[in-house]
Amino acid sequence: MAENITNWRSLGGYVGAEGKKVKEGMLFRCGQLFDLTDEQKDLVQNHYQLKRLVDLRGDDERKEYPDYVWPDLDYVILDVLKDSGTNQASVDEIVSANSHVESDMLKTYEELALSNSAREGYHQFLMDLINDPVPVAFHCFAGKDRTGVAAALILKSLDVSEDQIFEDYLKTIEARKEANQEILDYLKDKMDPKNIKDVAIALTVERQYLERYFETVQKNYGDFDRYFVEGLDLPVDFKEQMQKIYLV
């Protein structure tokens, strides 16, 4: 069922602290919930019974591609790249990709670790998870970069191994394959082959991007335990609370 929603997946089932597993039915990641079919709307609203939808996109993205929302949904907007100078993660930046795509993506991941808007946005996102634990989905445009970092933060807090974190992150390559090809087919008569190649790079993920995020955190904070408290201003028992709520 969920395969009908591009890049939708649960974080449930990964093995975290003390061999416990991430709880099913609580944490979902995806791309933007724009132009959904009636069946897809029923999935998110009734089958998965989402109570909160976290939108990590910027103003222009939200206006052009509004999410499907319903009256009793808690719709939270957190523009984590608002302060970014190289927002290579937005739809407009992807379509206008240039020959510096990979270096811009690496810079974007550094900003997702260090910029004020990212640290403030992920602070609120993670605080909501412990203060009001309800079924939640979180997304950006493609569900790969801003969303990938959000998922990594959750899994890190639950002491899920880096192997599993990268496994989850790289699932986007296959999950977005069809949607990305549709975008490239649409653009092929509107751009030269070199630009098309750059867009293709920008539409997917590479292991080195999330590695750069981890390296940036470690370089500036030493480890994620310290980053949670000092970088994201979370309570000293944040991980303990997360593990109590989301591991079974």
Side-chain angles (χ1 to χ4, degrees):
M1 290 184 292
E3 286 76 10
N4 292 329
I5 301 174
T6 301
N7 211 10
W8 174 283
R9 57 186 177 275
S10 169
L11 297 186
Y14 289 114
V15 180
E18 300 178 351
K20 296 179 180 179
K21 291 187 176 181
V22 181
K23 191 179 295 185
E24 297 282 3
M26 292 293 287
L27 303 163
F28 301 94
R29 55 174 295 177
C30 56
Q32 58 193 13
L33 299 184
F34 170 72
D35 198 23
L36 299 187
T37 65
D38 288 341
E39 181 182 2
Q40 291 169 338
K41 291 176 181 178
D42 183 64
L43 274 175
V44 295
Q45 185 173 352
N46 300 314
H47 179 75
Y48 292 109
Q49 297 186 318
L50 291 187
K51 301 302 181 187
R52 183 183 309 123
L53 179 64
V54 180
D55 190 338
L56 303 171
R57 299 175 300 169
D59 291 342
D60 291 343
E61 295 174 284
R62 295 193 308 272
K63 289 174 184 175
E64 188 169 0
Y65 303 100
D67 274 334
Y68 169 63
V69 297
W70 53 96
D72 61 345
L73 179 72
D74 180 16
Y75 176 56
V76 180
I77 296 169
L78 300 172
D79 183 358
V80 294
L81 282 177
K82 187 175 184 178
D83 297 340
S84 173
T86 57
N87 182 359
Q88 199 61 55
S90 74
V91 60
D92 288 340
E93 289 296 326
I94 286 173
V95 173
S96 62
N98 54 54
S99 58
H100 307 294
V101 174
E102 289 192 351
S103 61
D104 284 350
M105 288 298 296
L106 291 170
K107 180 63 176 175
T108 293
Y109 275 75
E110 292 174 4
E111 292 177 330
L112 285 170
L114 301 178
S115 73
N116 288 335
S117 59
R119 289 188 297 113
E120 290 168 4
Y122 288 129
H123 164 86
Q124 182 177 335
F125 171 65
L126 294 169
M127 286 299 295
D128 286 346
L129 291 183
I130 58 174
N131 288 333
D132 186 20
V134 296
V136 58
F138 53 97
H139 76 89
C140 47
F141 156 55
K144 64 186 187 75
D145 303 309
R146 292 163 284 188
T147 301
V149 165
L153 287 169
I154 290 172
L155 296 176
K156 269 288 188 183
S157 75
L158 300 175
D159 284 341
V160 171
S161 69
E162 287 198 3
D163 284 346
Q164 292 178 91
I165 293 174
F166 277 95
E167 175 189 336
D168 176 73
Y169 177 73
L170 294 172
K171 283 181 179 179
T172 287
I173 296 174
E174 186 61 33
R176 282 205 55 85
K177 191 173 183 180
E178 183 177 339
N180 287 350
Q181 191 57 53
E182 289 178 2
I183 293 172
L184 295 173
D185 288 344
Y186 172 77
L187 294 173
K188 68 181 180 181
D189 295 327
K190 299 174 174 62
M191 304 174 72
D192 64 52
K194 175 63 173 67
N195 291 124
I196 289 290
K197 183 179 179 181
D198 290 335
V199 171
I201 294 172
L203 281 170
T204 191
V205 296
E206 293 187 22
R207 186 182 180 92
Q208 64 170 324
Y209 301 156
L210 190 59
E211 286 178 338
R212 177 61 63 89
Y213 178 78
F214 283 2
E215 291 165 1
T216 303
V217 168
Q218 289 157 1
K219 178 181 178 181
N220 288 272
Y221 293 92
D223 57 36
F224 271 86
D225 287 350
R226 191 171 157 199
Y227 179 64
F228 283 134
V229 176
E230 297 182 12
L232 300 184
D233 194 27
L234 296 166
V236 292
D237 65 343
F238 166 71
K239 284 181 59 176
E240 181 182 340
Q241 293 188 61
M242 284 289 291
Q243 292 173 16
K244 183 177 181 180
I245 296 168
Y246 295 104
L247 290 180
V248 291

